[in-house]
Amino acid sequence: MAYYIDLQRMGWDEYREILSVSDLIPSRRLLLEDVVENFDRIRRAGIANVGELLHLTKTKPMLQSLADELGLDEHYLTVLVREIRSLRPLPIKLKDFPQTASLLVQRLTSLG
């Protein structure tokens, strides 16, 4: 079982605040340009939270279509989706930690 930030509960104002204090790599700093206007476009389209945006951009054609609909640059939307996905890192299984006893892993696995 993995525990993550609930992206369905994260609104655009909250995410904008996270972005503003984040140390973004140079290729992602474009997200801060016109961020209020861009997030307002997304919100006006009825996309209430960042989780919903991820759902609507699962595939490249879906992302391209949404970028056109919102009037946003496709590259901007692609980078935004990548940055949002970085909030949910890939889980590491307990068995992948070298110091974890295999018997413990087996017992926990049997318990579910």
Side-chain angles (χ1 to χ4, degrees), residues 38-86:
N38 290 335
F39 283 11
D40 281 346
R41 285 180 184 208
I42 294 169
R43 194 183 339 232
R44 282 193 307 265
I47 303 170
N49 55 63
V50 295
E52 192 174 335
L53 180 73
L54 287 182
H55 179 73
L56 294 170
T57 57
K58 285 182 180 178
T59 65
K60 186 169 178 81
M62 290 172 72
L63 187 139
Q64 291 169 331
S65 175
L66 186 61
D68 290 342
E69 179 184 325
L70 297 174
L72 288 175
D73 180 64
E74 184 182 331
H75 178 68
Y76 180 89
L77 193 56
T78 299
V79 173
L80 178 60
V81 168
R82 285 179 186 158
E83 186 63 24
I84 292 170
R85 284 188 182 132
S86 74

Side-chain angles (χ1 to χ4, degrees), residues 4-106:
Y4 299 109
I5 296 170
D6 186 356
L7 298 178
Q8 298 294 332
R9 291 179 179 232
M10 185 180 294
W12 293 106
D13 292 333
E14 182 181 356
Y15 187 63
R16 188 177 68 231
E17 181 65 30
I18 289 170
L19 275 180
S20 70
V21 298
S22 296
D23 187 22
L24 298 172
I25 61 173
S27 64
R28 293 193 180 178
R29 289 189 187 142
L30 74 102
L31 295 175
L32 299 175
E33 298 171 11
D34 301 320
V35 67
V36 174
E37 180 184 330
N38 290 335
F39 283 11
D40 281 346
R41 285 180 184 208
I42 294 169
R43 194 183 339 232
R44 282 193 307 265
I47 303 170
N49 55 63
V50 295
E52 192 174 335
L53 180 73
L54 287 182
H55 179 73
L56 294 170
T57 57
K58 285 182 180 178
T59 65
K60 186 169 178 81
M62 290 172 72
L63 187 139
Q64 291 169 331
S65 175
L66 186 61
D68 290 342
E69 179 184 325
L70 297 174
L72 288 175
D73 180 64
E74 184 182 331
H75 178 68
Y76 180 89
L77 193 56
T78 299
V79 173
L80 178 60
V81 168
R82 285 179 186 158
E83 186 63 24
I84 292 170
R85 284 188 182 132
S86 74
L87 294 173
R88 299 187 74 186
L90 295 175
I92 301 172
K93 295 181 180 184
L94 191 57
K95 69 177 184 166
D96 294 337
F97 287 92
Q99 69 274 20
T100 307
S102 61
L103 183 58
L104 174 63
V105 172
Q106 289 173 357

